[in-house]
């Protein structure tokens, strides 16, 4: 009732007004929406594949062999799949846009794509060998890779001391308020 008593002037104040459009901050021509087998780029832009599943992260990483996927190899190669990327400039504290650490999350793997014949996702665990399960565990996790731009191309710095995989078998210590919580206690770590 109070709103109605305020009259039309009060109602006008509550009505939504369209926001003014902010000026565009990106300087490229929009490309047409579509879904096809072509990787479309705005005019004047280029794309480059920098890292793929199984690519080397260290000089001594084994070459990727999709017919012989092992846990030991996966632990030294770029992980499977990614759904998050972050770039952290190097050296620390700089605003470099030509050298930095690329952080990539490897959330899950598709066992049926890793090993042909494992097509029934619900039954895959019954068909998987122990070695396949261990390789899949090593394909998950995180990759930290130093990258640098030379000319117009990016490259992985294979001899970087920063390059690292964090996988399902990487030991770590939990600190802070979560440390010791009952939900973090396991048979392998009863302290949590």
């Amino acid at each position: 009732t109070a709103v109605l008593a305020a009259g039309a002037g009060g109602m006008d104040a509550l009505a939504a007004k369209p926001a003014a459009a902010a000026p565009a901050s990106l300087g490229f021509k929009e490309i047409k929406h579509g879904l096809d087998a072509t990787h479309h780029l705005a005019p004047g832009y280029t794309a480059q594949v920098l890292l793929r599943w199984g690519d080397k992260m260290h000089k001594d990483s084994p070459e990727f062999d999709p017919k012989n996927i092992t846990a030991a190899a996966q632990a030294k190669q770029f992980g499977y799949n990614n759904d998050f990327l972050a770039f952290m400039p190097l050296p620390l504290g700089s605003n470099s846009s030509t050298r930095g650490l690329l952080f990539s999350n490897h959330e899950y793997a598709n066992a049926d794509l890793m090993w042909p014949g494992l097509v029934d996702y619900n039954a895959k665990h019954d068909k998987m060998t122990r070695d396949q399960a261990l390789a899949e565990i090593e394909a998950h996790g995180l990759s930290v890779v130093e990258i640098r731009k030379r000319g117009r191309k990016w490259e992985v710095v294979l001899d970087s001391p920063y390059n690292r995989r964090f996988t399902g078998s990487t030991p770590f210590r939990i600190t802070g308020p979560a440390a010791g919580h009952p939900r973090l206690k396991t048979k392998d770590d009863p302290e949590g």
Side-chain angles (χ1 to χ4, degrees):
T1 342
V3 172
L4 291 175
M11 293 303 286
D12 287 344
L14 296 175
K17 294 182 181 170
S25 62
L26 299 174
F28 60 84
K29 183 180 176 197
E30 184 176 347
I31 60 176
K32 183 180 173 187
H33 175 75
L35 182 60
D36 59 29
T38 303
H39 185 179
H40 298 273
L41 296 169
Y45 285 78
T46 60
Q48 173 193 347
V49 174
L50 180 62
L51 283 162
R52 300 165 297 178
W53 169 46
D55 280 350
K56 296 175 88 157
M57 289 184 50
H58 308 276
K59 284 186 175 184
D60 66 343
S61 296
E63 293 293 332
F64 182 60
D65 180 359
K67 294 183 179 181
N68 185 29
I69 301 167
T70 67
Q74 290 292 281
K76 297 187 115 206
Q77 296 167 333
F78 192 72
Y80 188 101
N81 197 354
N82 80 286
D83 65 351
F84 174 80
L85 287 174
F87 178 82
M88 295 159 271
L90 286 176
L92 182 64
S94 75
N95 289 323
S96 174
S97 62
T98 58
R99 179 176 171 240
L101 298 178
L102 184 70
F103 172 94
S104 177
N105 173 39
H106 308 292
E107 184 176 349
Y108 65 89
N110 297 92
D112 54 324
L113 297 178
M114 294 174 77
W115 295 283
L118 290 176
V119 294
D120 182 354
Y121 184 78
N122 292 324
K124 80 173 187 175
H125 300 291
D126 297 333
K127 297 178 182 180
M128 256 186 158
T129 67
R130 177 175 170 72
D131 287 343
Q132 288 172 326
L134 293 173
E136 186 176 348
I137 288 169
E138 294 303 300
H140 287 82
L142 311 166
S143 292
V144 178
V145 185
E146 183 177 346
I147 60 173
R148 67 180 165 219
K149 191 172 185 183
R150 291 216 174 163
R152 296 182 56 87
K153 295 279 186 183
W154 285 91
E155 66 184 14
V156 173
V157 181
L158 290 176
D159 58 352
S160 173
Y162 300 119
N163 294 357
R164 177 114 190 242
R165 280 298 315 280
F166 297 89
T167 71
S169 65
T170 304
F172 61 93
R173 185 169 53 97
I174 298 172
T175 61
H181 189 280
R183 290 187 178 185
L184 295 177
K185 294 179 182 179
T186 66
K187 66 179 178 75
D188 293 324
D189 182 13
E191 300 298 314

